[in-house]
Amino acid sequence: MIERVFREEHGRAVAVLGRVFGDLDVAEEAVQEAFAEAVRRWPKEGVPPSPAGWIITTARNKAIDRLRREAARAGKYAQAVLLNVVEPVEEPLMDDRLRLIFTCCHPALRMEARVALTLRLLGGLSTAEIARAFLVPEKTMAQRLVRAKAKIRDAGIPYRVPELPELPERLSGVLAVVYLVFNQGYGGREELGGEAIRLGRVLRELMPDEPEVLGLLALMLLVESRRAARRRDGELVLLGEQDRGLWDRGLVHEGQALVRKCLGIGRPGPYQIQAAINAVHSDAGRVEDTRWDQVLQLYDQLMVVAPSPVVALNRAVAVGEVRGAGAALELVEGLDLGRYYLFHAVRADLLRRLGRDVEAAAAYDEALERTEDEAEKAFLRRRRVAVAG
């Protein structure tokens, strides 16, 4: 029970206490102490009627007690914080969480710091959990978090929701952080994928009419729906070869419903278009039923809204299905993506389809040199053996 409350309420409590005290360090430490108190008392006394309210009230009292002790020892900073304490019931909880999200994702912070702060303060993940997920030592991650919170405090980064004129740019930064967390989970760290979807649901609750928020959540749900089918016997399984019976139809239906809602709003953006592409794939009961003409049209849209070499590579895959491998290869050869393993993997597949096996084998070798994922390597080795014959 306490673990569930922690996951659901940690971000809310830190958000409220951050406004109350104007300091994220004070807020986070107080919330941690409150949950430690809950671990001691709830098993004996029972769970209170309002667990979130209990945590916030307990955390506030503990923070005030600690700051009073520090102020009594001539702690000028503690005195200043106490002078600025406000009542936690002043504003809606929803506003507090939005403030915290935008503060964690402020553009003055480096992207790595934004991701770490979001997972720590909103997600409640421990420093050790975040460090493991991003493959860095715990000490390094702890220092990263300390520096980020110090920058927020010392640079006077405002704890607020951006004004309307700056909201689109700032929101795109928030969505980029959540999607980066999701992609880390998609690469094998499953807990991060789940955490990103949870953050996406929070954003949807807070900003229900923002189509890019809906689009990002839809995209994550549709991609996540295929997780069980993505690997078999330790090897990557391409979308066209997956067992579609393993797809999570509940996530598919939820994602498709969000895509339909986005279409009704009529303000397309990059996350919505990517979600629509995945919805087309999810609609097909068999790979041969895939409407590649629709996929290509959507990639054409995406290249207008958010052009990039990676989008162009994905579009080339759709071109290969609609117009043939030769047309796709011509597009791929013009891309500057030599360091990207998927560039070489796509190129190798197109060469294989054209019967240019020697060149395909060399391209598979290039792809193998540029990925560390063992499932991807197993897939590429099998394909290379097939063309080397």
Side-chain angles (χ1 to χ4, degrees), residues 69-230:
R69 289 195 300 271
E70 292 178 3
R73 295 196 297 269
K76 289 186 169 55
Y77 174 71
Q79 292 173 12
V81 173
L82 277 171
L83 285 173
N84 289 291
V85 170
V86 298
E87 288 299 318
V89 295
E90 295 285 329
E91 297 188 34
L93 194 59
M94 201 169 281
D95 292 346
D96 285 318
R97 282 191 292 166
L98 267 181
R99 284 193 185 92
L100 182 57
I101 289 172
F102 279 103
T103 301
C104 288
C105 299
H106 196 280
L109 301 173
R110 293 167 62 93
M111 179 59 81
E112 60 188 19
R114 297 182 215 174
V115 172
L117 271 181
T118 300
L119 290 173
R120 181 81 183 103
L121 300 182
L122 276 158
L125 273 67
S126 70
T127 303
E129 286 175 314
I130 303 169
R132 282 197 302 273
F134 288 91
L135 305 178
V136 298
E138 184 175 350
K139 183 178 179 181
T140 300
M141 184 56 68
Q143 292 170 343
R144 191 175 293 174
L145 288 163
V146 168
R147 285 195 299 267
K149 285 186 281 188
K151 184 161 189 174
I152 289 172
R153 183 181 63 243
D154 298 341
I157 291 174
Y159 187 65
R160 64 176 177 83
V161 178
E163 299 295 334
L164 193 59
E166 58 181 329
L167 185 59
E169 182 179 355
R170 289 289 305 281
L171 179 60
S172 69
V174 171
L175 299 179
V177 167
V178 175
Y179 195 39
L180 180 58
V181 172
F182 179 75
N183 281 330
Q184 290 289 330
Y186 188 71
R189 292 177 281 280
E190 189 171 344
E191 73 283 0
L192 287 185
E195 186 58 33
I197 289 174
R198 195 180 71 80
L199 290 171
R201 293 191 190 281
V202 169
L203 280 171
R204 183 199 179 189
E205 178 188 348
L206 300 178
M207 309 177 80
D209 299 319
E210 282 292 333
E212 279 292 82
V213 170
L214 302 178
L216 175 59
L217 179 56
L219 173 60
M220 293 190 296
L221 291 170
L222 290 167
V223 172
E224 182 67 17
S225 72
R226 301 192 288 267
R227 178 180 291 277
R230 282 190 68 238

Side-chain angles (χ1 to χ4, degrees), residues 9 48 81 124 155 164 201 233 245 261 277 297 304 315 322 378:
E9 306 297 346
V81 173
L164 193 59
R201 293 191 190 281
D233 300 328
K261 184 170 182 179
I277 290 168
Q297 288 173 7
V304 173
R315 178 182 178 275
V322 176

Side-chain angles (χ1 to χ4, degrees), residues 286-327:
R286 302 173 303 165
V287 64
E288 53 266 33
D289 297 331
T290 303
R291 292 292 307 275
W292 283 104
D293 56 331
Q294 290 184 1
V295 172
L296 181 54
Q297 288 173 7
L298 288 165
Y299 271 119
D300 288 342
Q301 254 192 295
L302 191 57
M303 283 296 292
V304 173
V305 173
S308 76
V310 173
V311 172
L313 179 65
N314 290 328
R315 178 182 178 275
V317 173
V319 167
E321 297 296 330
V322 176
R323 301 174 190 160

